[in-house]
Amino acid sequence: MDSFQIQLQDMSFSYDNSKLILRRINMIIKPEDFILIVGENGAGKSTLLKIIAGVLKPRSGCVLVNGRPIHKDKEYFKKIGFVMQYAEDSFCCDTVFDEISFASKNFKLDRIKERVENAARLVGVDQSLFSKSPYELSSGEARKVAIASMLAHDPFLLILDEPFVGLDKLGKESLRNILINWKKQGKSTVIVSHQTKYVDGLANKVFKLEAGSFSQINPF
């Protein structure tokens, strides 16, 4: 998959098959898009990200990549990186090195050591942490490791759920710089964040979720 376009087409979702959390969502994600999704707590933002990432399936409508349902495209999951709000929720390995390399190994990619080192350098994870348990890291270190693990397999799209939560000011500025560098590579990002000042000037599209409905608003 050399290029991609992801389309959410009249997509609705509910957890209990009665009350809709998301209603007839329509959105297109193109190469080089930086999309910010905002809304109150409980509006369904994290749920929407999980649907884009293929973790959840919509109740109705569909999510397409290059015109095909994402679950029918075997390459799709190699080309996205999904970082959950709480980085430790995604950890499953004994060491930082293994954590960063996990997805790349799972996808049977080559040059694992090089991929890990490049991703770590990009996000500012020192190699001295490679042998450390990811569960012993600070919030800022854990967030960087989680992002590095997604960058190592070189996805087209990075999906981030409240990535600035738990970071101090220096950590937030560092993450902003990571996102700036990511955008400079011509890659795409979909991000949910209440701390919009740290993506100021980055987002070319902003969507607001409110009571399950989705609308595009002017970038901040």
Side-chain angles (χ1 to χ4, degrees):
M1 187 165 63
D2 297 324
S3 63
F4 76 97
Q5 177 173 289
I6 299 170
Q7 182 176 9
L8 280 66
Q9 195 172 70
D10 290 330
M11 191 277 299
S12 298
F13 180 84
S14 67
Y15 283 103
D16 57 9
N17 291 322
S18 57
K19 181 181 178 181
L20 288 177
I21 296 174
L22 302 171
R23 297 182 181 87
R24 298 180 66 86
I25 302 296
N26 289 280
M27 180 174 69
I28 294 176
I29 306 169
K30 298 180 179 180
E32 300 186 35
D33 270 345
F34 193 111
I35 296 175
L36 170 64
I37 299 173
V38 298
E40 298 295 328
N41 290 333
K45 302 184 300 299
S46 294
T47 298
L48 178 57
L49 293 190
K50 290 177 181 178
I51 291 171
I52 296 172
V55 176
L56 298 174
K57 293 184 178 181
R59 175 179 173 182
S60 62
C62 55
V63 182
L64 306 173
V65 55
N66 293 342
R68 298 182 61 199
I70 60 173
H71 290 90
K72 293 185 178 180
D73 190 321
K74 295 180 180 179
E75 294 297 306
Y76 180 71
F77 300 99
K78 295 181 181 180
K79 296 303 180 183
I80 63 169
F82 179 34
V83 182
M84 294 185 287
Q85 179 173 346
Y86 299 102
E88 59 273 16
D89 289 347
S90 64
F91 290 160
C92 59
C93 299
D94 293 331
T95 69
V96 167
F97 182 93
D98 287 341
E99 195 63 56
I100 297 176
S101 66
F102 180 79
S104 298
K105 288 179 178 177
N106 191 45
F107 294 142
K108 303 185 186 310
L109 301 179
D110 58 2
R111 301 180 288 105
I112 296 297
K113 184 173 183 292
E114 180 183 341
R115 289 176 180 275
V116 171
E117 290 175 349
N118 287 343
R121 183 165 53 251
L122 181 63
V123 302
V125 172
D126 193 277
Q127 293 190 22
S128 64
L129 296 177
F130 280 1
S131 60
K132 194 171 184 178
S133 168
Y135 300 101
E136 298 174 358
L137 303 177
S138 67
S139 295
E141 290 170 338
R143 189 62 45 81
K144 288 180 179 180
V145 167
I147 294 173
S149 69
M150 293 298 101
L151 299 187
H153 66 277
D154 193 28
F156 285 141
L157 171 65
L158 191 59
I159 304 169
L160 301 170
D161 191 0
E162 294 288 359
F164 297 101
V165 169
L167 301 183
D168 58 20
K169 185 177 180 180
L170 184 61
K172 290 172 182 176
E173 291 292 348
S174 175
L175 178 53
R176 174 179 166 81
N177 288 332
I178 292 169
L179 296 178
I180 290 172
N181 290 332
W182 180 249
K183 185 174 182 178
K184 286 179 178 178
Q185 294 181 46
K187 303 297 185 71
S188 300
T189 304
V190 176
I191 182 172
V192 162
S193 182
H194 284 97
Q195 303 185 51
T196 56
K197 70 177 183 178
Y198 291 103
V199 294
D200 182 40
L202 292 175
N204 65 306
K205 297 177 184 176
V206 181
F207 292 89
K208 184 175 183 179
L209 256 178
E210 189 172 17
S213 297
F214 203 53
S215 59
Q216 188 168 359
I217 60 178
N218 291 328
F220 300 119

